[in-house]
Amino acid sequence: MSDFGGSHTPDNLKDLWMTPSDIFTALDIEFGFYLDAAASHKSALCAHYLTEQDDALSTEWPANGAVWINPPYSDITPWVLKASGQCREILQPVVMLVPADSAVGWFSQALQSVDEVRFITDGRISFLRSDTGKPINGNNKGSLLFIWRPFIKPRCMFTTVKRDELKAIGQ
């Protein structure tokens, strides 16, 4: 069950990419996020957030609303397991942004519990550097969203959304 290991990003930055606000805002309109579960004080996209020091993987998440996760890409598996369990526990949607790579173990793990796999098509997300806040072009993989929803039997449905549609909604 390997994780994504194809990054050429310097080690001190590879787990610190920030989600562009227009992409997040489009999804926030749909889900109404309460918690950013994998944030830093600089990168948090919700008023309520958990940092590395808060250790979101061993902390119970509040049940006040939907949860957003842009996890550290160096080790996605524990985030998939936590998101699945917390969705059932807090009875709120959990949305996770990850690389579009179906050949890794965490992808197969997510398929066991996720309600929707939403591929972001027609372009790659230009994430922001956490140290400068500037967009970085050249993302070597596309992206997808895992969406866990409570109260229904997970359907594991596959859908798509165009990157530029998300950006337009979020602007």
Side-chain angles (χ1 to χ4, degrees), residues 26-41:
L27 296 164
D28 190 31
I29 290 167
E30 179 178 356
F31 293 98
F33 296 114
Y34 174 80
L35 176 70
D36 185 341
S40 71
H41 295 297

Side-chain angles (χ1 to χ4, degrees), residues 9-16 129-131:
T9 305
D11 286 344
N12 64 327
L13 294 176
K14 79 170 151 188
D15 282 341
L16 301 175
R129 281 183 64 133
S130 61
D131 57 344

Side-chain angles (χ1 to χ4, degrees), residues 139-152:
N139 185 357
N140 65 354
K141 288 216 183 275
S143 298
L144 63 82
L145 300 163
F146 287 139
I147 303 167
W148 288 269
R149 293 183 178 94
F151 304 116
I152 59 172

